[in-house]
Amino acid sequence: MRKNIVFLHMESLNQQVFANRQWFPAINLIYGKSLRLTRFISSATSTFMALSDMLHGDDMLLEHNENYDDNMTVNKSCRSIFDILEENGYETLGTESPTGWDRFNHIWNDHNDKKQQWDDVCHDMMEKIEDKLKNLKAPLGLYFWNPTSHICCYDKYKFAEHGFDYWRRGWSNLDRSINELIRLLLKYNQLSNTIIVAFGDHGDDFWTHDSNGGFAHAIEPYIPLIHTPAFIFGTGMPANDVNHLVSMVDLKKISLQLLNIPDNDSVSSPTYTLSGGRKYCFSRNISAAQNDSKKNDLRKGYSITSDYLHLMKLRGKYELFSWNLDPCNHFNLLKLFSVNKNDQLIYTPDKYMKKSHEKCHVHYKSIIYSTTIDYITESYSRMKQELDSFIERKNNY
């Protein structure tokens, strides 16, 4: 019998928050024994889009929606991974508790009209999972989601003296439910026969790039919103860091390969296995069909991420960041350049540094020197072309 697979959705968790490892004792139990995707990039800055991308291995299926609400639809040009699991003999279960505001039944599974199961109390969700585990007659495909770490998801265990502690308690709730899941897998002797694919769907940015009307995510894809933790746990799998780029849309192909299930679906852009090969990751915050105007709190944004650079396009303007050096995207490298009539970058530091390159402090010149400048100018040209093509495909879909 094939191994069970659990998709562990870690709501709103980015790498910056995950660095507070003392908040995640249960996750720590398996994280150190996992394949850790250190350069995992989410394809979206909101849950609906990220989940659709992950489940289908394709980031084009929601682009026609003008709003994300109960009336949204999915242009299904490929199957969700749960459809494929059922076709290959899996029992499937999708769970969320406490009851959320984003019901994505039609995204999660179309097979035999099965639905995502929603519970107001986490205990009820865990009971359903236990009932499934104690009576397994086939391998299990489980989607596990505790959204209490979402900034807006209210739960009695999050009540606190002030908002900062309220926010922190969300991570404790998330970790507590994961501990319970691991306990159940151990109780029914299934942990050794289970692959856990864990991922953060997006992060939050607490108004460092603009007020955004109060939005903390669904804003433009700055790195804190899309560089999220992801790892794969399974008995017998090596505990290593995977240090090449992996996109959210790759998880479907990766998971099916781990289960020895063919991935024959045609998708809009190539996806990759754990062997690597991805040169760029793409992300966005709202659909191509959604309006973008100065009256909106959400500005439409797209990004392309390479090993060293992160290029964004926001309302026709570009921003470029060294996301390893500057993980919060505070300094737009393009401030050091002018653009000539051929759309090429010309290094002109005087306008920002207020002095010539030669007179800048050695701290600056230890990073920004001739080969760095050449790398930025050449990379910008290539990445801009790739990003513009990505946006054009979205608009034409």
Side-chain angles (χ1 to χ4, degrees), residues 18-38:
F18 194 52
N20 295 284
R21 299 297 297 280
Q22 72 276 13
W23 295 348
F24 304 99
I27 295 177
N28 289 341
L29 292 173
I30 57 175
Y31 182 74
K33 303 174 183 177
S34 300
L35 281 171
R36 300 171 293 270
L37 311 183
T38 63

Side-chain angles (χ1 to χ4, degrees), residues 92-133:
T92 60
L93 177 65
T95 57
E96 182 208 21
S97 176
T99 303
W101 53 97
D102 290 340
R103 301 207 170 202
F104 67 123
N105 290 333
H106 46 308
I107 295 175
W108 181 73
N109 197 327
D110 286 344
H111 195 90
N112 293 331
D113 295 322
K114 289 210 171 185
K115 301 296 182 185
Q116 178 91 354
Q117 299 192 23
W118 311 85
D119 292 290
D120 288 321
V121 181
C122 191
H123 177 75
D124 296 338
M125 175 177 75
M126 303 313 299
E127 279 192 344
K128 289 178 180 177
I129 294 172
E130 183 166 16
D131 287 342
K132 184 69 75 171
L133 288 172

Side-chain angles (χ1 to χ4, degrees), residues 140-386:
L140 175 65
L142 173 66
Y143 194 92
F144 185 86
W145 183 16
N146 178 351
T148 54
S149 49
H150 189 288
I151 193 172
C152 294
C153 188
Y154 296 98
D155 180 84
K156 64 179 181 179
Y157 293 109
K158 288 178 69 174
F159 291 160
E161 185 177 349
H162 48 69
F164 305 125
D165 192 44
Y166 160 87
W167 172 80
R168 182 196 60 79
R169 289 181 182 218
W171 308 116
S172 298
N173 273 8
L174 169 66
D175 193 72
R176 188 183 304 115
S177 64
I178 292 171
N179 185 69
E180 181 66 8
L181 174 64
I182 294 172
R183 185 190 70 81
L184 289 177
L185 290 169
L186 284 168
K187 178 179 178 180
Y188 293 99
N189 299 313
Q190 292 297 324
L191 185 62
S192 61
N193 190 45
T194 299
I195 295 171
I196 297 175
V197 179
F199 60 92
D201 55 347
H202 59 78
D204 283 313
D205 179 283
F206 293 108
W207 317 294
T208 61
H209 289 98
D210 205 339
S211 63
N212 300 303
F215 278 90
H217 59 261
I219 67 168
E220 307 95 315
Y222 291 97
I223 282 293
L225 289 110
I226 58 175
H227 187 206
T228 63
F231 61 89
I232 301 171
F233 170 85
T235 301
M237 294 178 62
N240 290 327
D241 290 333
V242 177
N243 293 319
H244 56 69
L245 291 172
V246 178
S247 170
M248 180 72 81
V249 296
D250 295 328
L251 289 184
K252 176 184 175 184
K253 181 183 288 289
I254 288 170
S255 300
L256 291 174
Q257 184 185 57
L258 291 172
L259 297 172
N260 294 314
I261 296 176
D263 178 19
N264 300 321
D265 282 4
S266 176
V267 292
S268 60
S269 298
T271 55
Y272 298 86
T273 66
L274 287 173
S275 298
R278 177 171 289 282
K279 190 173 182 180
Y280 300 118
C281 292
F282 296 91
S283 307
R284 78 283 194 212
N285 65 323
I286 57 179
S287 73
Q290 285 182 272
N291 291 326
D292 179 23
S293 72
K294 293 183 178 180
K295 296 180 180 179
N296 292 345
D297 292 323
L298 295 179
R299 299 176 298 275
K300 188 175 294 188
Y302 297 92
S303 70
I304 178 174
T305 308
S306 70
D307 285 333
Y308 290 97
L309 297 175
H310 180 67
L311 178 67
M312 302 178 63
K313 187 174 185 179
L314 319 170
R315 290 185 170 168
K317 296 183 178 180
Y318 296 90
E319 295 181 4
L320 182 67
F321 303 95
S322 169
W323 68 283
N324 303 286
L325 191 72
D326 175 21
C328 294
N329 295 168
H330 290 310
F331 179 59
N332 177 9
L333 290 166
L334 296 182
K335 291 181 179 180
L336 301 175
F337 296 84
S338 300
V339 181
N340 67 15
K341 61 182 181 181
N342 295 321
D343 204 27
Q344 295 175 323
L345 294 185
I346 306 298
Y347 182 55
T348 52
D350 305 54
K351 65 177 183 178
Y352 183 79
M353 302 302 293
K354 310 302 182 186
K355 59 181 67 177
S356 68
H357 179 90
E358 290 73 19
K359 293 181 179 180
C360 288
H361 194 275
V362 66
H363 289 175
Y364 175 82
K365 291 189 289 186
S366 294
I367 300 294
I368 307 297
Y369 49 88
S370 58
T371 54
T372 308
I373 295 165
D374 290 343
Y375 179 77
I376 291 172
T377 55
E378 293 166 5
S379 297
Y380 171 79
S381 178
R382 290 194 300 269
M383 293 175 69
K384 179 177 179 295
Q385 184 177 6
E386 292 283 350

